[in-house]
Amino acid sequence: MPKSHMSRPNQNQLYNMSQNSSNPVAGLHKSKMYSLILAGLALVSLLLPWITVSARGFGVGYSHNGFGGWGYLALLGVAAAIASCFMGDKSKAYDDLSKKVALGGFGAIAGGAAIYLIRIISVGGAYGIKPSPGFGLFIGLAAGAIGLLLLLGIIKPPKSIDEKVDKLS
């Protein structure tokens, strides 16, 4: 076989290389996979209603998603949590710096949602108009809190979920 053919990868090698590089979460460590899933959940929660306002007697309602006010803090937290998953060697557990970035990200998600919730609760209704927190706000708050608790080692995922995450990575 000529030397030029020996240096080129064959079709099977090219196919395997393209399969491995097409999935960015392949080989991701379990703790990083959990963080990525929770950050994705927090991102979806930003699209859902964070505040609903209803005017009693008029049948009029209004809702607004998390892209506003303190929801931007949660959005920055989502970006930090996702970025921390791809820092360093993704097949190993978090190193010191990336764990701090992930903790800061989940803290920002939980903090932004908590401040948003406090601001909604502290506003009183007038003239039959009453603001109330939307379900997206609670999902974002839960995602941030669960992310913090998982990374700090306070809670452990159930075995059934742990086995499913093993199959993903």
Side-chain angles (χ1 to χ4, degrees):
M1 190 177 288
K3 188 175 181 180
S4 63
H5 291 282
M6 296 293 285
S7 62
R8 291 187 218 151
N10 65 28
Q11 283 184 329
N12 290 336
Q13 289 172 329
L14 287 173
Y15 177 76
N16 289 337
M17 286 175 13
S18 70
Q19 291 299 316
N20 290 339
S21 64
S22 65
N23 186 0
V25 295
L28 202 61
H29 190 267
K30 264 198 276 191
S31 62
K32 293 183 178 185
M33 184 70 80
Y34 286 125
S35 295
L36 194 61
I37 291 168
L38 288 169
L41 181 65
L43 183 62
V44 169
S45 80
L46 286 169
L47 300 170
L48 299 173
W50 274 37
I51 184 170
T52 57
V53 180
S54 61
R56 293 184 204 126
F58 295 107
V60 178
Y62 170 76
S63 64
H64 185 68
N65 61 18
F67 290 108
W70 287 99
Y72 288 129
L73 179 63
L75 181 62
L76 288 174
V78 167
I82 290 173
S84 72
C85 293
F86 298 104
M87 290 173 62
D89 188 2
K90 66 180 187 176
S91 64
K92 295 181 182 174
Y94 280 114
D95 61 350
D96 192 41
L97 176 65
S98 59
K99 186 172 184 175
K100 288 178 182 175
V101 171
L103 283 169
F106 284 115
I109 294 168
I115 293 169
Y116 207 101
L117 179 63
I118 291 168
R119 292 192 59 176
I120 292 170
I121 292 173
S122 65
V123 173
Y127 306 110
I129 299 173
K130 176 73 174 129
S132 61
F135 63 94
L137 178 60
F138 293 114
I139 293 171
L141 184 61
I146 291 170
L148 281 173
L149 295 174
L150 276 174
L151 283 175
L152 291 173
I154 296 172
I155 61 172
K156 303 280 185 214
K159 296 269 188 219
S160 61
I161 294 175
D162 215 22
E163 292 168 359
K164 291 177 183 176
V165 170
D166 276 339
K167 290 179 185 177
L168 287 175
S169 57

